[in-house]
Amino acid sequence: GGYFRIGSPRQHHTYYNYSSDWDPVADAACFSQNDKGERLVATDNAGPGQICMTSPAAREKVLAKLKQYIASDRQGEKPYPVIYDLSPNDNDAKCVCPACQALAERYGGNYAAPLLDFTNFIAREIRRDYPEVMIRTFAYLYALQPVPGLQLEPNVIIHLAPMGLEFAQARDTLKPLTAPENAATAALLR
């Protein structure tokens, strides 16, 4: 057998947990921007917004909060968690600020690029103090497709999270990946 647990704050959709104490006015540039130019402040793990993944201030705030979570978890029972989730809130409100758009465009319009660049930054920085810690993020909704040419840090884990049949996708979670219904998901995983 084996044992592991995901570190604080929770197992998925954690952007809200990282940003819940940010000031909506003073830290406005840290929140995702919609196509109307509005910054969307999440009120829970479903959103309505996300974190602006190219914001230097957001990156530093998330890194500081992650260090707090790790330190707090190390006051608890052993073994300490080594996997920490850093994944978008449960919505498709990708940030369309000029910096996030430019990064996506550099990779063919793929909005997984800002997410992976953000995750790489956090993973690279946290590895300096905690080389054993792995950062897990979702390949989900607008960030589902791989980003050719964007190399992941060695301590990044991608949690493939395509939507299932409940949303009329051609996929069956009760059949093996080799089943015809799962061809697209198998290709995505490969």
Side-chain angles (χ1 to χ4, degrees):
Y3 173 83
F4 79 94
R5 61 187 171 105
I6 302 297
S8 297
R10 54 186 277 146
Q11 295 188 22
H12 50 77
H13 303 303
T14 55
Y15 280 11
Y16 169 73
N17 301 94
Y18 283 94
S19 65
S20 63
D21 60 352
W22 299 353
D23 184 286
V25 176
D27 299 320
C30 294
F31 296 101
S32 61
Q33 179 178 315
N34 66 16
D35 57 0
K36 297 175 186 171
E38 302 163 329
R39 294 291 178 162
L40 302 175
V41 178
T43 57
D44 61 28
N45 296 90
Q50 304 284 357
I51 292 173
C52 175
M53 294 172 278
T54 57
S55 164
R59 289 175 176 216
E60 291 303 324
K61 286 176 172 294
V62 168
L63 181 61
K65 180 72 73 101
L66 176 58
K67 288 180 180 181
Q68 289 174 359
Y69 286 137
I70 294 170
S72 177
D73 284 348
R74 291 181 181 218
Q75 302 302 311
E77 72 178 69
K78 292 182 180 178
Y80 301 134
V82 294
I83 300 173
Y84 284 81
D85 186 82
L86 182 62
S87 61
N89 296 325
D90 194 11
N91 67 66
D92 62 357
K94 63 183 179 261
C95 183
V96 295
C97 77
C100 284
Q101 279 187 334
L103 187 54
E105 287 306 316
R106 186 177 340 149
Y107 291 95
N110 189 336
Y111 264 88
L115 177 131
L116 297 177
D117 187 73
F118 173 71
T119 305
N120 270 344
F121 171 83
I122 300 299
R124 189 170 41 254
E125 294 300 313
I126 207 66
R127 194 169 61 238
R128 295 174 194 221
D129 296 323
Y130 301 100
E132 72 284 4
V133 166
M134 304 292 290
I135 305 300
R136 183 183 71 181
T137 194
F138 278 171
Y140 180 63
L141 296 175
Y142 62 84
L144 183 61
Q145 296 302 317
V147 183
L150 201 156
Q151 182 68 36
L152 296 177
E153 291 294 321
N155 58 328
V156 170
I157 298 171
I158 300 299
H159 180 150
L160 184 60
M163 300 306 287
L165 289 175
E166 68 275 17
F167 294 101
Q169 298 288 329
R171 182 169 82 95
D172 189 338
T173 57
L174 299 178
K175 291 186 179 179
L177 277 175
T178 55
E181 297 89 344
N182 293 326
T185 302
L188 186 61
L189 184 59
R190 278 192 300 281

